[in-house]
Amino acid sequence: MITRFLVFVSLLSIPTTIGMLGRSDKDDKCIISEAEDCSISTFRNDRFTLVYPGGEARCFESTPENPNPYFFQVGPGRGDDANKLHIFFQGGSSCPTTEACLDDSDNQPRRSPYVNRGGIFDFEPDSKNPLRDWTQVSILYCSGDTHLGDGVLDGVYWKGRNNVRAVRDWIVDNIPRPDRVVLNGCSSGALGLFYYARSFLQYFKSVGTPSHGLTVVLDAMTGRSEVEPSLLWNHCSREDYGWTEEQYQRCLIGNFTRTQVMEATQAAHRDVPFVFFLYKNDAFLNQQTCECSQAEFYGQHKKALRRYTELAGSQNNIVSYIINGNFHCLFEFLPDRFFFTRSAVGEPSATEFVEMLVTRDGNATIRSSCVPRLNMLSARNRSIDFGCDDLLKNAVFHG
């Protein structure tokens, strides 16, 4: 059972939201305490409930004088799909040092979480969203550590791992044996999922969720060349990530990279598809992480995905959905008209692709999707090749 915490912090106002509204924008709140366990059975399914776990869960900038409590987001499911679970790791900027965390630049991590709405979070009855009636739990982000930290220095709290633990424990209590699970992360949230996917999959398999009911979706992130976690975050953990002792020791000495973590997780769960959603020219990610041309940026992603696919070999569980465009995070940020629109003749729309993933049985075949070759002219009139890679385009998952 989850350890209950008595909460002494004051509540902040609900942050301004972005995107299109699905459920009511009048979110409910629930504070976990000795007297209140915030059971999902008490939540309304026509709106989101923001759950404040208290304890060691917090945002990176939090002091006794200015408490900044952490909360996560729950949307209870409906009907036959209520016991199907979508767990979302929210993205955002990270800060490897106290100076970077407290900097007032545009790249500073958010100080408080914001609520996800629209796209995959659209719950309107007439929505085409394949997950509209699923139970959705969003691990919101305000820790500046890609959800991985358990460290503190000079008033900066990197407590993303504590936040994930609090959400995980609530899930174990409230959705103990889900029929299906989608583990999904966007941007920095996907980088966090690189680490947590292994232990989450181990747990859900242990309680009886079949492998054909499990899917990992990594949105706008491949692990191509991202900066490694800061040692100040104190991010290494056996228990939280399901690592072996050898992997844990490698992490402690900085010899277990994000990409190696992802490779090890994929190898441990070849019966589960790892699905990468990617815009070929993700302008935000390119600007933030790569001082290179658009073609070089896209080429780095293809290289990372090729390595995963080659390592999987005949047991391939790497699937990709790659489309033209310069947007960032398909599931979280885009209006519904993008999510539900077919990307090209002969290729499925994002919603059709997700539908295939989340309704498959043990004999399903999931084929990767990539919009055909497209040459575009940059501002300097250079031809940029955004073509598809044959190995990735032909990658298939059976199961």
Side-chain angles (χ1 to χ4, degrees), residues 202-373:
Q202 288 171 346
Y203 169 74
F204 288 119
K205 287 180 179 180
S206 75
V207 297
T209 305
S211 58
H212 69 260
L214 297 170
T215 305
V216 179
V217 176
L218 301 137
D219 192 356
M221 195 63 68
T222 62
R224 54 175 240 298
S225 62
E226 279 68 38
V227 176
E228 296 302 316
S230 169
L231 293 179
L232 295 178
W233 295 350
N234 186 31
H235 70 286
C236 301
S237 173
R238 284 183 299 268
E239 294 78 11
D240 291 296
Y241 312 140
W243 284 352
T244 65
E245 178 64 23
E246 183 265 342
Q247 290 168 336
Y248 173 65
Q249 293 298 328
R250 285 176 57 192
C251 179
L252 291 176
I253 62 174
N255 190 29
F256 199 26
T257 67
R258 289 188 193 269
T259 302
Q260 291 169 338
V261 170
M262 184 80 277
E263 292 168 357
T265 298
Q266 292 165 356
H269 296 282
R270 290 294 183 206
D271 55 345
V272 175
F274 286 71
V275 187
F276 292 84
F277 278 76
L278 183 68
Y279 279 99
K280 295 180 181 180
N281 179 30
D282 184 329
F284 175 82
L285 194 62
N286 190 347
Q287 180 184 15
Q288 296 294 317
T289 65
C290 180
E291 295 182 2
C292 58
S293 70
Q294 295 169 325
E296 290 170 332
F297 174 76
Y298 176 45
Q300 290 176 7
H301 283 295
K302 288 194 290 187
K303 182 178 179 180
L305 295 177
R306 282 187 62 90
R307 175 170 171 79
Y308 297 147
T309 306
E310 289 167 350
L311 287 174
S314 61
Q315 295 181 302
N316 181 59
N317 59 337
I318 312 304
V319 181
S320 56
Y321 184 88
I322 303 174
I323 57 178
N324 296 315
N326 59 359
F327 298 101
H328 184 62
C329 287
L330 178 67
F331 281 16
E332 184 178 12
F333 290 126
L334 289 187
D336 295 354
R337 63 188 178 88
F338 286 98
F339 187 77
F340 302 130
T341 300
R342 188 178 304 276
S343 59
V345 175
E347 299 294 333
S349 69
T351 189
E352 291 169 338
F353 193 77
V354 173
E355 182 82 39
M356 289 186 288
L357 288 169
V358 302
T359 60
R360 72 184 194 279
D361 58 24
N363 298 313
T365 296
I366 305 297
R367 301 182 182 279
S368 294
S369 177
C370 180
V371 174
R373 179 185 181 92

Side-chain angles (χ1 to χ4, degrees), residues 180-191:
R180 290 182 179 270
V181 179
V182 172
L183 298 173
N184 172 210
C186 158
S187 194
S188 289
L191 288 179

Side-chain angles (χ1 to χ4, degrees), residues 50-67:
L50 309 182
V51 181
Y52 291 76
E56 292 299 314
R58 63 173 67 195
C59 298
F60 79 86
E61 190 178 41
S62 181
T63 65
E65 297 77 21
N66 183 30

